Amino acid sequence: MAHWPSFDESDASSRNVAAPHSKRNPEKPLASPVPAVERTIAILRLLENSSDPASCTVSGISRALGMNKSTCSNTLRTLESHGFIEYDTTSRTYWLGAGLIGLSIKARHRTFPSVGATHMRALVRKTGFTCVAFEQLPNGEFVIVDKVDSQKDIKITIDVGQHFPPAAPVFARIALAWSSPAEVESFIAQNNLQRFTRTTKTDPDGLRADLRQIRRDGYSISVGEYYLANTAIAAPVFSVQRDACRGVCMIGFTSEISEDRLTQYAQAVADTGHAITQAMSESLRVR
C-alpha cells in the first residue's frame, strides 16, 4: 500500500486545495533493513508492549526476539548509555528510559499534530466525542499522533503512540480510498480483510463499493467493526509533502450516536480534515 493516498486534480479542485507535488517518490522501495537497527527497534517495541516487566531481562528479551544473548546485552547497554532505556540492578530488568521523552515531544510538534490541535478541539466541542489524529507508518500500521478527549465523565480515550493494524477498518479505508486500484487489490490479495468483530465487513466487493463511496463523501464510517461497542468516523488530511497517509477520527460509544445523526457527525469530521489540510498548506507557505 502506498504511504500517501493519491490525490488528483479533481480532488484538489473540489476541496479548494492545490494538488501536491511530491518531494519523494511514494512508490520508491524502502531501503534494505540494517540488522543492528532492526534489533534495536525490536527491543524498544518489546519493552513498549511488554505486559510482564519481570520478563524484560537480558535472557527474557533475547529469548523473546530470538537474538544472540551477547548481542542483545550489548545493544541494551548501548541504549542504556543514551538514556533510552533504564536498568534495575535489583530485578535485573529493563524498561523504557527518560531519554525517549524528548524525542516524543519533538515528534508531536511536527506540522500535522501541531496545526491540527485547534481544529480537533473544535470538533470535540461540537460533537462531544473524542477525536484522534492518525498516520500510517511504512509497515502499514497506523499510529495515533495526537488526541483531544471528550469532556464526558465516561468516554473512549486512546493513548498517543498506540498502534493499530493495517486492516483496522476505519483507518484502512481512508488510506485505500485514495490509493490506486492495484494497491487496493494487493491489500485484498494479502488477506488483509481481517475480522475483528462479528460486524466487521470482510467482503471484497463490498470494500470496493465502500471505497468509491468514501472517496465521494470524504469520510468513512465504521460501526462496531473494531470494537463492537464503538463507532468511528474518519476523514483524510492531505499534505503537499505527500509523505504519509494522515487523517482525523471521531470515536464514541455506538449507544450514544444515533443513526439519524451519523451523517451530521461525519460531515463535521470531514470539515475538520479539510480545515487541517488548509492549515497545513498555509503553514508550509509561510516557512
Side-chain angles (χ1 to χ4, degrees), residues 44 79 82-85 95-106:
L44 292 174
L79 286 168
H82 289 280
F84 293 155
I85 64 174
W95 59 83
L96 297 180
L100 294 171
I101 295 175
L103 296 178
S104 66
I105 292 173
K106 189 71 174 179

Side-chain angles (χ1 to χ4, degrees), residues 194-237:
Q194 183 178 347
R195 184 177 295 280
F196 297 97
T197 73
R198 64 174 182 269
T199 62
T200 305
K201 300 175 184 176
T202 58
D203 175 58
D205 289 335
L207 173 64
R208 296 183 186 98
D210 283 347
L211 296 181
R212 290 192 292 270
Q213 188 66 47
I214 291 166
R215 194 176 174 90
R216 286 192 295 267
D217 294 339
Y219 57 76
S220 172
I221 299 175
S222 177
V223 180
E225 292 188 83
Y226 194 78
Y227 291 118
L228 198 56
N230 298 352
T231 289
I233 305 171
V237 170

Side-chain angles (χ1 to χ4, degrees), residues 32-283:
S32 300
V34 178
V37 177
E38 290 277 298
R39 288 193 295 268
T40 302
I41 293 172
I43 288 173
L44 292 174
R45 289 290 184 212
L46 185 146
L47 295 177
E48 175 192 16
N49 297 315
S50 176
S51 58
D52 180 17
S55 68
C56 294
T57 60
V58 174
S59 296
I61 294 170
S62 62
R63 185 167 50 250
L65 298 177
M67 190 182 299
N68 176 276
K69 189 173 180 179
S70 176
T71 301
C72 182
S73 178
N74 290 335
T75 305
L76 288 166
R77 289 178 181 178
T78 302
L79 286 168
E80 183 188 3
S81 71
H82 289 280
F84 293 155
I85 64 174
E86 297 176 7
Y87 179 65
D88 184 337
T89 56
T90 302
S91 63
R92 297 184 178 181
T93 58
Y94 289 89
W95 59 83
L96 297 180
L100 294 171
I101 295 175
L103 296 178
S104 66
I105 292 173
K106 189 71 174 179
R108 293 189 69 179
H109 281 82
R110 294 174 305 128
T111 302
F112 174 41
S114 59
V115 305
T118 298
H119 302 286
M120 290 168 61
R121 286 194 290 269
L123 178 64
V124 172
R125 287 194 299 270
K126 183 174 185 177
T127 64
F129 297 106
T130 292
C131 178
V132 300
F134 65 89
E135 290 190 20
Q136 189 175 34
L137 300 175
N139 66 1
E141 292 182 350
F142 297 91
V143 62
I144 303 302
V145 297
D146 202 4
K147 69 168 181 174
V148 178
D149 280 335
S150 166
Q151 294 303 303
K152 297 178 180 180
D153 292 334
I154 300 176
K155 63 199 170 206
I156 295 172
T157 184
I158 299 175
D159 292 335
V160 172
Q162 183 170 340
H163 287 236
F164 290 86
V170 76
F171 300 146
R173 288 172 199 152
I174 287 297
L176 290 169
W178 281 271
S179 294
S180 70
E183 288 166 333
V184 173
E185 295 308 314
S186 175
F187 179 88
I188 294 172
Q190 292 171 20
N191 297 315
N192 276 324
L193 294 179
Q194 183 178 347
R195 184 177 295 280
F196 297 97
T197 73
R198 64 174 182 269
T199 62
T200 305
K201 300 175 184 176
T202 58
D203 175 58
D205 289 335
L207 173 64
R208 296 183 186 98
D210 283 347
L211 296 181
R212 290 192 292 270
Q213 188 66 47
I214 291 166
R215 194 176 174 90
R216 286 192 295 267
D217 294 339
Y219 57 76
S220 172
I221 299 175
S222 177
V223 180
E225 292 188 83
Y226 194 78
Y227 291 118
L228 198 56
N230 298 352
T231 289
I233 305 171
V237 170
F238 297 106
S239 165
V240 295
Q241 294 171 306
R242 300 185 65 189
D243 54 355
C245 165
R246 302 182 174 92
V248 290
C249 181
M250 185 199 91
I251 307 170
F253 294 114
T254 301
S255 59
E256 295 184 326
I257 302 176
S258 60
E259 191 171 344
D260 60 345
R261 298 195 68 184
L262 265 179
T263 301
Q264 177 184 338
Y265 287 136
Q267 190 57 58
V269 174
D271 290 345
T272 300
H274 185 202
I276 297 174
T277 295
Q278 295 283 59
M280 287 180 66
S281 177
E282 291 166 7
S283 173

